[in-house]
Amino acid sequence: MDVTPETVIAANRQQAYQPRALPAAFSQTAGSGGGVPQVTGPDTAFEPQTRPEELVARLPPPVPAEPYRIGVGDVVLLATKTPGTSVEELTGLLAAENRRQGYTVQDDGSIAIPDVGRVRIAEMTLEEAEGVLFQRLLERQIDPSFSLEIAEFNARKVSIGGAVAQPGVAPITLIPLTLDNALAAVGGITAADRDAAVIRIYRDGSLYEVPVKDFLVSPRYQKLRLVDGDSVYVDAEFDLGKAQAYFAEQIELGQFKQASRQSAMQILTQATELRRAQLSEERDNFSARIEHGAEPQDYVYLSGEMKKQGRWPLPYGQVASLADALYESGGGAPNMTADPRQIYVLRASADPREFSGITAWHVDGSSAVGMMMLTRLELRPRDIVFISEQPVTRWGRVVDQLSPNFLGLPGAYVE
């Protein structure tokens, strides 16, 4: 059957064929294996933004005025009435207080007072804490004359960084911490171009902005009340990457340790190397099986006027054309002896008992259309590709076979 564009379509549809796939090791990378520990970090403080045409203030919601509440880490001083002037008279709470010089609020929110025990005062105002202490002193039959004050404010802080003199933290005390006082506590703003600088306040996952030029002249912005956990960053270059790095650092503090990150990276590196070695070994084993014929493959068979007759393996993962078999199998058909007008593809029925079901597809490779058909005609496993010899080649071979007989006839004259 002559191959035309129409018959090529029929030939390609004649038998359903799914090329063999390469093993999964050839499509996987060292990072695609399972079991690699994952180290997740906190969400970024904010997404990258482009510089606005004009800086516009975006203020955080107002904070209700509330009294200071004692927190873990704060140091409180407890002073009691001195009953006398002699050292022998200094007993009970006064002696303990003189020895301790204050009480630190522990992790459980309590302070430990000799002769009184542990008293929980965390998250209480000074007035509430005094009421609890008064009751405990009465229960222990101790003179309830005392005064309570906070000596060190360590529980509630605001982080400040960027274009300031001394980046650090400002504690929140009995007096509400405002934005101007917080910046003053770290030496003030050092931005050279204050018209282009902006104060960024990061609170509870939201980012707020106050242009520095507006902050310097507006009491409303200067007296913005800050709360525990706020991060203030003075950005003088519109480089949000710096602000992101700063806020990410604040969020990560207390959540991740450097040692654990390094350990996770080492585990990840080791797992990647092991996975890479495993994939390399699987690929090498597959190549070795191919070389020794131990891996199943589909073949077509090359016959006739070929430079090299034999079987040609169909590629993995893609369908091969007749042109692929001719030009990838050792140089294709020899021009001197092969007849490019007589190229055939012999294809049998899928049932080996049906020998009458053989189809011969004929391609005339001497024409431009025929050459294009070589690239369109798909091959199937067990196809036979045959190229006939040229007539002159056939006649030359007959002469070669007859010449010795002529030379060997009785009476023939041979020089």
Side-chain angles (χ1 to χ4, degrees):
M1 182 181 298
D2 291 334
V3 171
T4 64
E6 291 75 17
T7 58
V8 163
I9 296 175
N12 293 343
R13 293 177 178 175
Q14 187 179 31
Q15 294 181 4
Y17 173 58
Q18 181 66 35
R20 293 182 182 272
L22 285 169
F26 284 86
S27 59
Q28 294 176 343
T29 62
S32 62
V36 178
Q38 299 294 324
V39 179
T40 59
D43 295 335
T44 56
F46 53 91
E47 296 296 328
Q49 301 177 23
T50 57
R51 178 175 178 172
E53 294 296 331
E54 181 180 356
L55 295 176
V56 178
R58 191 163 73 91
L59 304 181
V63 179
E66 293 182 352
Y68 183 84
R69 294 189 176 274
I70 301 170
V72 174
D74 285 345
V75 178
V76 298
L77 288 179
L78 183 64
T80 60
K81 179 180 179 181
T82 304
T85 58
S86 65
V87 176
E88 291 78 7
E89 292 178 342
L90 296 177
T91 59
L93 281 178
L94 181 59
E97 193 272 335
N98 288 339
R99 289 194 303 269
R100 293 287 302 277
Q101 291 299 315
Y103 301 93
T104 300
V105 181
Q106 305 299 318
D107 291 341
D108 62 352
S110 303
I111 57 175
I113 305 174
D115 300 329
V116 176
R118 301 187 68 83
V119 181
R120 181 176 177 81
I121 61 173
E123 302 304 325
M124 295 183 182
T125 64
L126 273 175
E127 290 76 9
E128 293 171 344
E130 288 173 349
V132 171
L133 285 172
F134 182 84
Q135 186 64 33
R136 291 293 295 273
L137 292 174
L138 289 179
E139 293 174 356
R140 297 296 189 273
Q141 297 182 353
I142 299 174
D143 185 358
S145 299
F146 69 92
S147 64
L148 183 69
E149 62 180 294
I150 302 177
E152 296 181 18
F153 295 87
N154 301 318
R156 310 184 191 283
K157 301 176 181 180
V158 171
S159 301
I160 309 169
V164 294
Q166 296 177 341
V169 295
I172 295 178
T173 65
L174 297 176
I175 301 174
L177 181 63
T178 57
L179 184 56
D180 57 348
N181 290 333
L183 292 172
V186 293
I189 299 173
T190 60
D193 184 5
R194 300 192 174 187
D195 289 338
V198 63
I199 302 171
R200 306 187 191 277
I201 303 173
Y202 181 70
R203 176 185 298 173
D204 296 333
S206 298
L207 184 67
Y208 306 96
E209 298 179 340
V210 178
V212 171
K213 62 180 181 179
D214 297 336
F215 166 79
L216 295 175
V217 298
S218 173
R220 175 191 176 193
Y221 298 156
Q222 295 170 2
K223 298 305 177 182
L224 279 175
R225 184 174 178 180
L226 302 177
V227 298
D228 180 36
D230 280 356
S231 292
V232 178
Y233 189 91
V234 180
D235 189 351
E237 300 178 359
F238 287 93
D239 184 357
L240 294 184
K242 293 182 178 180
Q244 287 176 314
Y246 175 78
F247 292 139
E249 182 181 17
Q250 298 303 312
I251 297 172
E252 288 180 332
L253 289 178
Q255 298 180 3
F256 296 96
K257 300 295 183 181
Q258 184 66 28
S260 64
R261 288 198 296 268
Q262 292 177 350
S263 176
M265 287 301 300
Q266 291 176 356
I267 294 174
L268 178 61
T269 301
Q270 293 172 0
T272 301
E273 292 300 327
L274 290 175
R275 180 60 178 167
R276 183 178 290 113
Q278 178 184 357
L279 291 176
S280 178
E281 183 178 7
E282 291 179 11
R283 294 164 186 169
D284 292 343
N285 290 341
F286 176 80
S287 300
R289 291 197 303 270
I290 288 289
E291 181 180 356
H292 294 285
E295 189 69 26
Q297 284 187 273
D298 294 326
Y299 296 93
V300 298
Y301 299 87
L302 309 178
S303 181
E305 291 301 310
M306 297 281 189
K307 286 185 178 179
K308 183 179 179 181
Q309 298 189 21
R311 65 179 186 178
W312 180 69
L314 292 174
Y316 286 87
Q318 61 180 350
V319 178
S321 67
L322 177 56
D324 295 332
L326 292 178
Y327 296 106
E328 290 185 9
S329 59
N335 296 329
M336 297 300 297
T337 61
D339 187 354
R341 298 169 299 178
Q342 303 295 327
I343 303 176
Y344 297 91
V345 175
L346 307 180
R347 181 173 300 166
S349 170
D351 189 343
R353 297 170 295 182
E354 298 180 0
F355 291 103
S356 60
I358 297 177
T359 304
W361 304 95
H362 170 241
V363 182
D364 181 0
S366 64
S367 66
V369 175
M371 291 294 290
M372 290 301 300
M373 292 302 102
L374 294 178
T375 65
R376 298 292 192 270
L377 182 59
E378 297 177 358
L379 295 178
R380 297 291 184 263
R382 295 177 297 278
D383 280 356
I384 298 176
V385 179
F386 176 83
I387 302 180
S388 179
E389 60 186 356
Q390 294 186 11
V392 67
T393 302
R394 186 181 305 112
W395 173 246
R397 287 173 178 168
V398 171
V399 172
D400 289 342
Q401 293 173 357
L402 294 178
S403 293
N405 294 329
F406 286 133
L407 295 175
L409 287 174
Y413 175 76
V414 180
E415 292 186 359

